[in-house]
Amino acid sequence: MYLRFAMIACLFAAPLSAEEIWVTNEKDDTVSVIDVASLEVIRTIATGERPRGITFSHDYSRVYICASDSDTVQVMDPNTGEILHDLPSGEDPEQFVLHPDDRHLYIANEDDAITTVVDVVDRRVVAQIDVGIEPEGMAVSPDGKIAITTSETTNMAHWIDTETQSLFANTLVDSRPRHAEFTKEGTELWVSAEIGGTVSVFSVSDQAELAKMSFAITGIHEDRIQPVGFEFTEDEKTAFVALGPANHLAVVNAQTYEVEDYILVGRRVWHMAFNSDKSLLFTTNGVSGDVTVVDVAKRKAIKTIKVGRFPWGAALRP
C-alpha cells in the first residue's frame, strides 16, 4: 500500500511536460536542447554535418534537421535523439518548411537552385522546382496553397502554387534575401534582405509591395545591419528582426511598419524561437556561440546560454 501511494506521489510531483528550445550548431554537428524552465542546456545530440534548418512535425513526435553538408534531411526521435532515417533532399539543404498537411517538406537547395518537395511519409521526392540562384528562405501560407522560396543571388521571392508545384510569380526584393514568413491570416508576406538591410512586406493577393523597412542603430555602421530571421508575437502587432553582425534585434510595429526599439543580444544574431506563450524569445548568436533569452514584454535580454559553435536554427518543442 505504501509503495502504491509513493508511486502516485511521484507521478504528481513530476512535471507533466517540459518546454524545450532546440538549437542547431553548424560547426559542432550537434543540437543543443535548452530547458525553458531552468534556461539551461540539458542535452546535446549528435547530428549529420552542418545542421541548420530545424522543425518539428505537428505532433512533435519527430524533428526534421537540415544536415546541409551531409546533403540530407534527418528525421530524429526527439525523446531518444536517435536518427530514425534520412529523407532525400537534394544537395545542400539549408532551410525548409513543413506544409500544414504535416506531410510535405519544401526544401531550399542552395547549390542546385531548386526547391525540393519531399513526402515525409513515403520518403520520396514528389517535385523539384527551378528557382533562382542560391535559394535559402522558405515559407508556406497558413492555408497551404502557396510556398515561397527566396534566392540570395537572384534577389527574388519565388511564389509556388502547391497544387501544381509550379511558379506563378517572382518578386524582386533587395540584395540577398534570407528569410520569409506569412502572417497567420495569410494576407502579407514578409521577406528580409541581408545585404540590402531591409525587410519588405508584400500583399499576398497580388504580390504588390506594401512597405519596406530599414534600420539604423547609433554607433553601428549601416553595413553591419543585416536583417536575417524574424518572428511575430501572438497578436502579430510586433515583429522581432535579427540584425546579424549588428548584434541587435529590431522591434518593429507590424501594423505601422515603424521600428520602435532595438535590443542588444549576442554576436551575429541569426534566427530565433519563442516559448509556448511567447513571453520569452530565444536568439541564436553564431559568432559568440550562445543563445540570448529576451523578455518579450520588457523588451530586454535577461540571460545568455552557452551552446555549441555557430548556433543557427531554433525550434520550440512544447
Side-chain angles (χ1 to χ4, degrees):
M1 181 65 71
Y2 172 80
L3 180 60
R4 180 182 175 188
F5 279 111
M7 291 175 65
I8 292 172
C10 287
L11 285 173
F12 279 100
L16 295 177
S17 62
E19 289 186 24
E20 298 170 343
I21 301 295
W22 286 50
V23 175
T24 53
N25 302 304
E26 279 191 271
K27 296 295 186 182
D28 282 349
D29 301 337
T30 61
V31 170
S32 296
V33 180
I34 297 170
D35 176 68
V36 172
S38 66
L39 301 182
E40 300 289 346
V41 174
I42 57 172
R43 281 199 290 169
T44 301
I45 305 170
T47 67
E49 296 179 14
R50 200 182 181 192
R52 290 191 279 183
I54 182 169
T55 194
F56 283 87
S57 61
H58 294 176
D59 65 0
Y60 298 95
S61 65
R62 300 174 306 282
V63 57
Y64 302 102
I65 300 166
C66 279
S68 299
D69 286 357
S70 297
D71 294 330
T72 193
V73 170
Q74 296 184 312
V75 183
M76 179 185 289
D77 180 332
N79 292 319
T80 65
E82 177 190 359
I83 302 297
L84 301 175
H85 53 265
D86 292 346
L87 294 173
S89 66
E91 291 188 14
D92 194 20
E94 184 161 351
Q95 284 206 64
F96 51 16
V97 65
L98 184 61
H99 191 276
D101 66 8
D102 202 28
R103 181 163 183 157
H104 292 95
L105 272 179
Y106 285 76
I107 305 166
N109 296 120
E110 188 170 31
D111 289 349
D112 283 351
I114 59 172
T115 295
T116 298
V117 187
V118 174
D119 184 319
V120 301
V121 176
D122 293 341
R123 305 183 198 175
R124 65 184 181 90
V125 172
V126 297
Q128 289 193 307
I129 305 158
D130 290 329
V131 291
I133 301 171
E134 288 191 284
E136 173 160 334
M138 291 297 317
V140 65
S141 60
D143 63 9
K145 293 181 178 180
I146 301 170
I148 298 292
T149 303
T150 66
S151 55
E152 295 179 47
T153 301
T154 310
N155 301 329
M156 283 184 173
H158 307 282
W159 302 68
I160 299 168
D161 182 320
T162 59
E163 183 176 350
T164 63
Q165 307 294 12
S166 61
L167 295 180
F168 68 89
N170 297 290
T171 306
L172 280 171
V173 293
D174 286 337
S175 182
R176 203 172 185 182
R178 299 295 294 226
H179 189 70
E181 292 280 349
F182 287 89
T183 55
K184 64 184 177 185
E185 296 299 324
T187 59
E188 293 181 357
L189 175 74
W190 289 44
V191 180
S192 64
E194 183 180 22
I195 302 303
T198 60
V199 173
S200 296
V201 183
F202 298 95
S203 167
V204 172
S205 61
D206 59 5
Q207 299 84 56
E209 185 178 280
L210 300 175
K212 184 180 291 186
M213 292 157 270
S214 56
F215 309 91
I217 304 173
T218 302
I220 298 178
H221 194 277
E222 63 180 9
D223 287 350
R224 295 184 61 80
I225 299 176
Q226 299 176 8
V228 189
F230 53 88
E231 294 287 340
F232 297 101
T233 54
E234 185 62 34
D235 60 10
E236 293 195 330
K237 292 182 178 179
T238 304
F240 292 87
V241 182
L243 298 179
N247 306 335
H248 282 75
L249 300 181
V251 184
V252 175
N253 185 314
Q255 297 174 313
T256 66
Y257 311 118
E258 298 293 327
V259 179
E260 296 180 342
D261 205 353
Y262 293 98
I263 303 169
L264 179 64
V265 291
R267 295 173 62 197
R268 202 216 69 174
V269 55
W270 205 245
H271 288 288
M272 63 193 86
F274 284 106
N275 66 336
S276 289
D277 66 7
K278 297 199 173 185
S279 61
L280 298 175
L281 184 62
F282 296 75
T283 73
T284 60
N285 312 315
V287 172
S288 52
D290 52 34
V291 167
T292 300
V293 186
V294 174
D295 183 311
V296 172
K298 294 180 180 179
R299 298 183 177 181
K300 180 181 179 181
I302 60 172
K303 185 168 183 177
T304 298
I305 304 169
K306 194 68 179 175
V307 289
R309 292 181 300 159
F310 281 71
W312 197 96
L316 168 68
R317 185 192 184 200

